[in-house]
Amino acid sequence: MTEIRRASIRRTTTETDVSVDLIIDGTGRSSVATGIGALDHFLTLFARHGRFDIDIQARGDLHVDAHHTVEDVALCLGQALRRALGDWRGIRRMADAAVPMDEALAQVAVDLSGRGSFHFRDPWPGGAVGQLETDLVRHFLETLAREARITIHVVTLYGSNVHHQIEAIFKALARALDAATEPDTRIAGQLPSTKEHLEIQG
């Protein structure tokens, strides 16, 4: 794959205005401004550890709460990932990563299957990091999986600090996606499916 795998998404509603530019084969550069400091932090390290180049700019109705902004950023990022992969031919498709962050350990497995689903196993971290409640992190991942048409499994193995737990999740997700989107020269030009079909359009 020699072409740049890149996509840009813009979504404007009465609740948010979000733009995402994603380069899959990047170096980890990022510019992230969502108005939610913790989300900016986690997306910045997501870019760095996945070696993605990401520009995310968002304005949302934060006077209500962070829900709409988190959801629409995930929606746009998921759509950008799906489009940037083009026809999805020649990629490894599945990968996993386990990442420690001090006392916390998270494992994430992904399948670029064309079927969007999110699954997690307790203990899921409780609490919040700034404006970012852990329930919104879960919703972010659910939305990302659905819009990217990928399967994401998350296991938070243990940890006592919610910031560390979420950071481990985003780093593990980044590393798993980096590996799963890698070109595999052994199957160049082929879809990574015995069905020879993935539901990636639309």
Side-chain angles (χ1 to χ4, degrees), residues 20-128:
V20 171
D21 187 79
L22 168 69
I23 299 175
I24 291 178
D25 307 300
T27 59
R29 293 182 295 106
S30 63
S31 175
V32 183
T34 67
I36 305 167
L39 184 60
D40 294 353
H41 172 61
F42 295 130
L43 288 172
T44 297
L45 61 86
F46 171 80
R48 178 65 60 88
H49 289 273
R51 304 296 185 262
F52 309 124
D53 290 347
I54 296 177
D55 187 328
I56 299 175
Q57 306 297 317
R59 291 186 296 106
D61 53 357
L62 297 180
H63 62 284
V64 177
D65 63 14
H67 181 96
H68 296 140
T69 302
V70 170
E71 180 176 63
D72 286 0
V73 168
L75 187 151
C76 291
L77 182 59
Q79 290 182 1
L81 177 60
R82 173 159 51 91
R83 294 186 188 181
L85 285 169
D87 61 10
W88 293 40
R89 293 181 180 275
I91 60 172
R92 295 187 184 277
R93 178 177 159 171
M94 288 169 274
D96 68 282
V99 171
M101 175 60 196
D102 293 349
E103 87 298 341
L105 180 64
Q107 184 171 18
V108 175
V110 299
D111 180 10
L112 279 61
S113 60
R115 300 182 300 276
S117 62
F118 171 70
H119 309 272
F120 70 94
R121 192 177 77 189
D122 288 335
W124 182 263

Side-chain angles (χ1 to χ4, degrees), residues 96-175:
D96 68 282
V99 171
M101 175 60 196
D102 293 349
E103 87 298 341
L105 180 64
Q107 184 171 18
V108 175
V110 299
D111 180 10
L112 279 61
S113 60
R115 300 182 300 276
S117 62
F118 171 70
H119 309 272
F120 70 94
R121 192 177 77 189
D122 288 335
W124 182 263
V129 180
Q131 291 176 278
L132 188 63
E133 300 171 1
T134 57
D135 186 58
L136 288 179
V137 175
R138 179 163 45 196
H139 186 52
F140 179 94
L141 296 172
E142 289 170 340
T143 305
L144 178 69
R146 183 187 72 237
E147 296 298 326
R149 305 273 176 87
I150 63 178
T151 297
I152 301 174
H153 287 256
V154 174
V155 180
T156 50
L157 296 161
Y158 43 77
S160 57
N161 181 284
V162 64
H163 186 127
H164 292 169
Q165 288 174 294
I166 296 174
E167 185 160 325
I169 289 169
F170 271 84
K171 287 178 178 177
L173 174 63
R175 288 181 173 268

